[in-house]
Amino acid sequence: MTVRELLYVPIIHTEADLGSLGPAVERRSASLYGEKRWVEHKETVARFWESIAEYLLSLDAASLKLYQDGLPADGELGRRIVEEAAQRGSINYQILLRLMNKGAELRKTEDASLLAQELRLAQEEAAVGNTVHQREFSVRKARLTEERDKFIVSTIVETLEKGETGVLFIGAYHNVHLYLPVDIAVEPLKAPDKVNAYFEELVSGRGGEAFQRLASYLASPVAPPQVGYHQGKDY
């Protein structure tokens, strides 16, 4: 059986990725975690993206098919979306654009209607703040994320041909891997569970050995991918 390959890039969003919500999130995060800790976090994220870029740009870009979290279009419209996001400073989209300019093919990934629902929910949550409705928001977000994950999988299954290599840039909190068929070999460039564990440590306010080890892992060069998604924690 000819296997389809999917390089799995768990996204760490930066302010530029969050659009109009970015400045508010930045201010709130710096306030919650402290200026020094937030600056260190941003340095870790910058090195994380440097390691991802270095690895992907070392590959034969013309053989890659690109799938992007939040991207509901391909073709000329998709390229315009990527170019505009890259110009706004999104490192994720700058990497996409560099790969596209080297011959990689951008493919539609998401359902625009689901993205619109999620944006409205995020705006509603930001407007009311931390209230008794937080559990309701969490349930609604989880449901929408699951719907998005299943749609992304259906897109990849339909468009990634046998023998092709796809690159999926996806938020680490997503569970796309749970729904992928066995003939798609998933190769994480960074382990999503470790990305999530890093954020758990960041939010907790702890600055111990586990947090430093996770930060170092995120900033380290990408090791040759190992086929398969492993949930086990080894830190």
Side-chain angles (χ1 to χ4, degrees):
M1 178 175 62
T2 303
V3 174
R4 297 176 280 180
E5 183 179 45
L6 187 67
L7 302 180
Y8 200 100
V9 183
I11 295 173
I12 299 179
H13 290 293
T14 62
E15 181 182 351
D17 295 317
L18 302 178
S20 60
L21 298 174
V25 171
E26 179 79 4
R27 290 191 299 271
R28 183 180 179 188
S29 298
S31 175
L32 284 173
Y33 309 133
E35 291 287 348
K36 182 177 183 295
R37 189 177 179 85
W38 188 244
V39 168
E40 292 173 348
H41 162 69
K42 291 172 70 173
E43 291 173 351
T44 296
V45 172
R47 292 196 296 271
F48 164 85
W49 279 115
E50 287 172 4
S51 71
I52 296 295
E54 182 177 3
Y55 179 79
L56 289 177
L57 291 167
S58 72
L59 304 179
D60 175 16
S63 69
L64 302 178
K65 317 302 175 184
L66 307 177
Y67 299 90
Q68 171 63 43
D69 182 343
L71 188 68
D74 50 17
E76 292 184 9
L77 175 57
R79 184 177 184 87
R80 187 160 67 248
I81 292 172
V82 171
E83 289 175 340
E84 290 175 354
Q87 289 173 359
R88 289 195 301 269
S90 170
I91 305 173
N92 176 180
Y93 280 84
Q94 288 170 358
I95 295 172
L96 278 178
L97 186 57
R98 292 175 70 183
L99 290 170
M100 291 165 63
N101 288 339
K102 293 179 67 176
E105 178 187 342
L106 184 69
R107 292 182 170 174
K108 172 183 174 180
T109 309
E110 297 250 29
D111 180 351
S113 65
L114 291 176
L115 292 175
Q117 290 179 51
E118 189 167 78
L119 176 59
R120 287 194 297 270
L121 181 60
Q123 292 170 335
E124 183 182 347
E125 184 178 17
V128 301
N130 188 16
T131 71
V132 293
H133 300 291
Q134 194 60 48
R135 178 174 174 77
E136 177 190 345
F137 284 126
S138 297
V139 170
R140 291 165 62 188
K141 282 192 292 187
R143 184 173 65 249
L144 272 173
T145 299
E146 181 179 353
E147 290 184 51
R148 284 179 57 199
D149 287 350
K150 290 180 178 179
F151 185 90
I152 291 169
V153 167
S154 68
T155 298
I156 294 172
V157 168
E158 291 171 5
T159 61
L160 189 64
E161 302 292 336
K162 291 181 178 180
E164 288 187 336
T165 298
V167 183
L168 174 63
F169 292 82
I170 189 73
Y173 62 91
H174 283 266
N175 289 307
V176 171
H177 61 283
L178 296 179
Y179 308 107
L180 287 165
V182 295
D183 72 317
I184 296 181
V186 181
E187 301 184 3
L189 299 194
K190 292 288 182 178
D193 61 319
K194 291 188 178 181
V195 176
N196 288 326
Y198 168 81
F199 276 97
E200 289 175 6
E201 291 290 326
L202 177 69
V203 171
S204 75
R206 295 188 294 267
E209 184 179 344
F211 179 70
Q212 296 303 324
R213 188 158 55 245
L214 288 163
S216 296
Y217 166 75
L218 294 185
S220 65
V222 172
Q226 299 296 315
V227 176
Y229 181 91
H230 300 286
Q231 291 277 14
K233 297 182 179 181
D234 56 1
Y235 49 85

